[in-house]
Amino acid sequence: MELFDLAALELGAKIRAREIGVEEAVRACLARMEEKEPQVHAFIRVTREQALRRAREVQRGIDEGVYTGPLAGVPMAVKDLISTRDVETTCASRMLEHYVPVFDATVMQKLQEAGAVCLGKTNMDEFAMGSTTESSYFGVTHNPWNLSRVPGGSSGGSAAAVAAREVFYALGSDTGGSIRQPASFCGVTGLKPTYGAVSRYGLLAYASSLDQIGPLAIDARDAAAVTRVIMGRDALDATSVDAPLPGMPEGDALSGLRVGVPEDYFGEGLDEQVRERVMGAARELQARGAQLVPVRMPELAYAIPAYYVLACAEASSNLSRYDGVKYGYRPKHFEDLHDLYLRSRSEGFGPEVKRRIMLGAFALSSGYYGAYYNKALQVKALIKRAFDRCFEQADLLITPAAPTTAYPLGSNTDDPIKMYLGDIYTVSVNMAGLPGLCFPCGFDEQGLPVGAQLIGPAFSEERLLRAAHAYQLHTPYHRQHPGEE
Amino acid sequence: MEINDAMVSYVAQLAYLKLDEDQRAQAAKDLARMIEYVGQLGELDTQGVEPMSHALPVVNVMREDEVRESMDREWILRNAPASKDGCFLVPKTVE
């Protein structure tokens, strides 16, 4: 079997069996990047020398029995808003072009303890604000399945890197769909864990009450393995909790599982082919013994406006730290302290970031707070209740992850609302703090991947992974990749 | 809701952003469009609904108040655009 037809756990097994060396695997990925990156541009930075050094270190660790985990030695990548010690972490922004963290994010530390070899930092929408990866200060990423299409966003680089098999898994972050939507557009498996399941220490914040780190992977088992490494309570993130680690998914039996199909997710605006493929996935789960139950979620229509108020409000507060004093961009010329703040921010942030900061500042301003911010928090409560209601009838829900497949680059940049509408199926999951998983469920007539989303109650990661794995045991889509040029 | 230039200037001031005339005109358009869009929240009856900040009931997370090693001063300053004598350097603020 060719190296790039393997999933991460399969490569990990071969590394442990000494069938392939860590350095050999890393060099193969680096060679693949040289071939793919000129077209795909999934990476902001490839850390070649560090990766080779680390590969030798991990090989020694494996030989000496220090690294015994299933992912030891497997090449991976990290979205460029997760702090990596001594490696630039830019958030794809001019603001942080030269920012070098002096510490590792907790997830990086955990992965290192598991023997991960990081090959670089992946591209994203600036400060994770976008659904296409086009707002990156460092250029756009192209969808490996069709280079004229967007990879999705904001974790578009991570999804594209895995889809192009430049690495075997990658970390992303998801504030309103930023793992699941690019997973859908790029045909990979992405998991946004329950809020609090994974420490956010070292994650550069966008909207702290919604942000969560998770894996973009080749299949559900790989996603489970990565999640098992990065989960857990962390004293450095007070919102993190001790959640039960999901077991590795085994087998294809789903008897007794009630899968809710919310009709509101299949209504107007959904592409016909996406609907068919996702319903096909639902029927496949049924064939494995699951029972399909119709459920309702009429509150869905209000999820996007509520989300944008909350996310932008939190962003306007979080991003106030970028003032040209402690870190980040500072202009050469300024008049006084006030002017230094103004110029640093105005020259350091891109247009979409400014747009969201402005909306957020408005929603939090005196006189409008009640009508917008507080109202959105009430809607958030209603959405949480609506999910609770659904989970009385169903163990998990199946929905599309995005209304369409990957659209052409440049087609959604003029009108912000048009892009925001693409987040309709994902944002409510973040507002309710729930886990959501996206897995590939076929292709449209243009050969672009379609993703289905599973949503479960808090801490039901194991259930979502088990259902996706059962599906993947009987379908080929997660195994398909764009292949050679 | 009409977003006039005074409103845009006020919000830009809150956000600490400097916008030129063209950017202010664009921002007025964007803000108006976004505010109109999120205004549909007003349709929803939320009488008596408690606003929810956090989805999980995690409150008052405490730890022991113990002395710990903090980060090296030199490290903290490593990313500073300008520093002097172990401090962040900013323009003079008091005459």
Side-chain angles (χ1 to χ4, degrees):
Chain A
M1 204 182 214
E2 225 249 303
L3 178 66
F4 294 106
D5 290 326
L6 299 175
L9 286 172
E10 293 162 349
L11 175 60
K14 284 188 183 293
I15 288 172
R16 277 198 313 287
R18 308 297 191 277
E19 287 171 41
I20 178 168
V22 178
E23 187 173 341
E24 188 186 340
V26 168
R27 283 190 187 277
C29 283
L30 290 169
R32 182 134 175 132
M33 282 177 183
E34 264 172 43
E35 171 201 335
K36 296 280 177 189
E37 274 301 280
Q39 292 95 45
V40 175
H41 186 53
F43 285 80
I44 290 178
R45 191 174 313 274
V46 176
T47 49
R48 189 188 166 85
E49 294 315 313
Q50 284 107 312
L52 287 170
R53 248 197 331 271
R54 173 73 180 149
R56 291 188 281 269
E57 182 183 292
V58 170
Q59 184 68 64
R60 267 198 310 280
I62 292 171
D63 293 342
E64 289 164 8
V66 180
Y67 298 123
T68 54
L71 291 170
V74 177
M76 53 82 68
V78 188
K79 186 177 181 180
D80 208 20
L81 48 37
I82 293 173
S83 299
T84 43
R85 189 177 167 163
D86 296 334
V87 176
E88 282 88 340
T89 299
T90 70
C91 267
S93 180
R94 182 185 196 194
M95 182 61 85
L96 294 174
E97 189 176 3
H98 305 292
Y99 172 68
V100 182
V102 294
F103 63 93
D104 272 319
T106 297
V107 289
M108 288 312 293
Q109 211 159 21
K110 283 171 171 280
L111 280 165
Q112 269 151 27
E113 284 161 19
V117 183
C118 180
L119 267 55
K121 306 295 295 281
T122 55
N123 203 8
M124 53 184 279
D125 281 294
E126 185 180 2
F127 280 100
M129 297 179 189
S131 312
T132 64
T133 311
E134 289 169 291
S135 70
S136 168
Y137 180 65
F138 303 104
V140 302
T141 294
H142 299 257
N143 191 312
W145 290 95
N146 180 334
L147 297 171
S148 70
R149 304 279 167 149
V150 300
S154 66
S155 310
S158 290
V162 175
R165 301 294 192 267
E166 295 177 64
V167 288
F168 288 83
Y169 67 93
L171 290 186
S173 68
D174 191 314
T175 305
S178 282
I179 289 175
R180 291 159 288 154
Q181 183 257 22
S184 178
F185 281 14
C186 289
V188 300
T189 302
L191 175 69
K192 174 227 160 297
T194 307
Y195 185 79
V198 177
S199 167
R200 290 179 295 109
Y201 179 71
L203 172 73
L204 278 74
Y206 163 17
S208 308
S209 79
L210 307 166
D211 295 342
Q212 192 64 189
I213 297 172
L216 290 114
I218 290 169
D219 62 23
R221 280 178 61 83
D222 285 0
V226 179
T227 306
R228 285 165 59 86
V229 172
I230 61 176
M231 262 176 75
R233 206 182 91 78
D234 177 11
L236 298 170
D237 173 4
T239 62
S240 66
V241 294
D242 248 327
L245 283 191
M248 286 302 294
E250 306 283 351
D252 68 349
L254 297 178
S255 46
L257 188 74
R258 299 168 304 164
V259 177
V261 184
E263 70 173 78
D264 311 85
Y265 281 73
F266 292 86
E268 204 190 323
L270 177 62
D271 179 273
E272 199 44 51
Q273 294 181 55
V274 174
R275 182 202 316 266
E276 277 172 28
R277 302 300 181 276
V278 175
M279 284 313 297
R283 283 191 299 274
E284 180 60 39
L285 297 182
Q286 196 176 25
R288 308 272 70 83
Q291 178 198 345
L292 299 185
V293 218
V295 294
R296 287 301 313 267
M297 181 97 196
E299 292 84 347
L300 183 68
Y302 298 95
I304 295 184
Y307 169 81
Y308 276 95
V309 169
L310 296 176
C312 293
E314 292 188 34
S316 78
S317 166
N318 267 327
L319 273 61
S320 63
R321 75 190 67 187
Y322 301 106
D323 57 5
V325 172
K326 298 180 290 299
Y327 34 65
Y329 176 82
R330 174 188 279 202
K332 281 203 176 64
H333 305 287
F334 47 86
E335 283 159 26
D336 52 20
L337 185 64
H338 183 72
D339 192 49
L340 164 67
Y341 293 156
L342 276 174
R343 281 181 198 264
S344 298
R345 295 170 61 77
S346 304
E347 294 169 24
F349 291 139
E352 181 62 25
V353 174
K354 288 182 196 170
R355 192 140 61 191
R356 295 196 191 192
I357 290 176
M358 293 274 286
L359 178 64
F362 169 82
L364 291 174
S365 67
S366 152
Y368 297 102
Y369 177 93
Y372 293 96
Y373 184 70
N374 210 48
K375 183 83 183 181
L377 286 179
Q378 290 177 310
V379 174
K380 185 178 173 181
L382 290 181
I383 286 171
K384 173 83 167 43
R385 274 187 213 169
F387 275 117
D388 290 346
R389 217 175 46 228
C390 287
F391 292 129
E392 283 169 16
Q393 296 164 270
D395 301 309
L396 53 83
L397 309 178
I398 187 165
T399 77
T404 64
T405 54
Y407 38 81
L409 285 156
S411 60
N412 244 358
T413 43
D414 48 336
D415 180 1
I417 303 290
K418 200 172 140 204
M419 182 173 75
Y420 300 171
L421 289 175
D423 301 338
I424 177 85
Y425 305 130
T426 46
V427 292
S428 53
V429 171
N430 301 72
M431 281 191 283
L434 305 176
L437 182 148
C438 175
F439 62 94
C441 64
F443 296 87
D444 70 3
E445 281 160 8
Q446 292 167 292
L448 294 165
V450 178
Q453 174 178 231
L454 300 175
I455 306 168
F459 307 113
S460 66
E461 280 82 356
E462 178 170 318
R463 197 184 295 165
L464 303 185
L465 289 160
R466 187 161 59 89
H469 176 63
Y471 176 84
Q472 290 176 339
L473 280 177
H474 291 269
T475 51
Y477 311 118
H478 61 291
R479 284 287 177 182
Q480 286 166 262
H481 56 89
E484 310 311 316
E485 299 302 314
Chain B
M1 176 193 259
E2 212 221 312
I3 301 295
N4 57 27
D5 195 58
M7 184 65 164
V8 172
S9 298
Y10 172 62
V11 175
Q13 189 195 333
L14 291 176
Y16 251 103
L17 291 170
K18 187 177 195 165
L19 307 179
D20 62 26
E21 211 169 309
D22 286 354
Q23 289 170 326
R24 276 209 309 278
Q26 184 61 44
K29 249 172 55 190
D30 288 348
L31 260 184
R33 178 130 168 72
M34 291 197 288
I35 291 166
E36 186 204 327
Y37 177 69
V38 301
Q40 61 177 292
L41 290 177
E43 296 164 10
L44 210 54
D45 181 12
T46 52
Q47 192 104 44
V49 177
E50 192 65 30
M52 185 178 83
S53 306
H54 268 261
L56 291 181
V58 179
V59 285
N60 293 347
V61 179
M62 303 293 188
R63 65 166 174 80
E64 288 307 308
D65 183 18
E66 58 200 13
V67 179
R68 285 188 216 161
E69 199 81 19
S70 61
M71 211 173 266
D72 213 69
R73 181 179 281 252
E74 191 194 313
W75 278 17
I76 293 169
L77 290 170
R78 197 175 288 177
N79 281 290
S83 66
K84 196 182 173 190
D85 302 334
C87 297
F88 294 108
L89 190 64
V90 294
K92 196 169 167 185
T93 53
V94 190
E95 288 307 321

